[in-house]
């Protein structure tokens, strides 16, 4: 199971940190990532991190503003979001895949999302 938290309302230019907590069974040996979906838009990949944190992958739209990290001892992955813009408004979903390498697709596990709203 995956549980995302940390969403909320923030002004443009602000920051939020999302957390994704999972079971050891889900996290162990898995790459973990984030997707988001805005109202009326398709779901899109945001970021991913390999099982040991050695590799990360970001969508061009968030590169340089978002940072993904993980603490395997706590079975938790974080998404630090800085310099937020209204276009970042979406439901953010934590995902995991058993192949431990980063990817923009093919995730096996999906958690419930957390809503991020960025006001202009």
């Amino acid at each position: 199971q995956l549980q995302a938290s940390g969403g909320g309302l923030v002004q443009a230019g602000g920051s939020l940190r999302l957390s994704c907590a999972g079971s050891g069974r889900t996290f162990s040996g898995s790459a973990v990532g984030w997707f988001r979906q805005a109202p009326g838009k398709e779901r899109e990949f945001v970021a991913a991190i390999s099982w040991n944190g050695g590799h990360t992958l970001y969508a061009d739209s968030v590169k340089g503003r978002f940072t993904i990290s993980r603490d395997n001892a706590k079975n938790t992955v974080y998404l630090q979001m800085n310099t937020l813009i209204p276009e970042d408004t979406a439901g953010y979903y934590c995902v995991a895949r058993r192949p431990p390498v980063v990817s923009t697709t093919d995730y096996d596990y999906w958690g419930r999302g957390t809503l991020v709203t960025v006001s202009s």
Side-chain angles (χ1 to χ4, degrees):
Q1 290 184 341
L2 299 170
Q3 182 63 53
S5 62
L9 174 64
V10 63
Q11 288 188 334
S15 298
L16 280 175
R17 188 176 80 158
L18 305 184
S19 298
C20 174
S23 66
R25 180 179 180 181
T26 303
F27 266 55
S28 179
S30 298
V32 179
W34 292 90
F35 280 71
R36 66 185 182 186
Q37 187 166 20
K41 295 187 177 181
E42 292 188 354
R43 186 172 59 199
E44 64 173 347
F45 169 81
V46 177
I49 188 166
S50 61
W51 71 275
N52 64 352
H55 293 89
T56 56
L57 185 65
Y58 296 94
D60 288 342
S61 59
V62 306
K63 200 172 294 183
R65 299 188 298 121
F66 290 11
T67 302
I68 189 169
S69 61
R70 67 190 294 165
D71 184 340
N72 287 341
K74 297 181 179 180
N75 291 328
T76 303
V77 168
Y78 305 97
L79 185 68
Q80 178 66 44
M81 306 186 296
N82 299 328
T83 320
L84 285 161
I85 59 178
E87 290 75 15
D88 294 321
T89 295
Y92 283 71
Y93 298 86
C94 180
V95 298
R97 66 195 300 262
R98 184 56 63 186
V101 296
V102 295
S103 173
T104 61
T105 61
D106 299 327
Y107 283 84
D108 306 305
Y109 305 97
W110 290 75
R112 292 185 178 181
T114 185
L115 182 62
V116 172
T117 303
V118 183
S119 62
S120 56

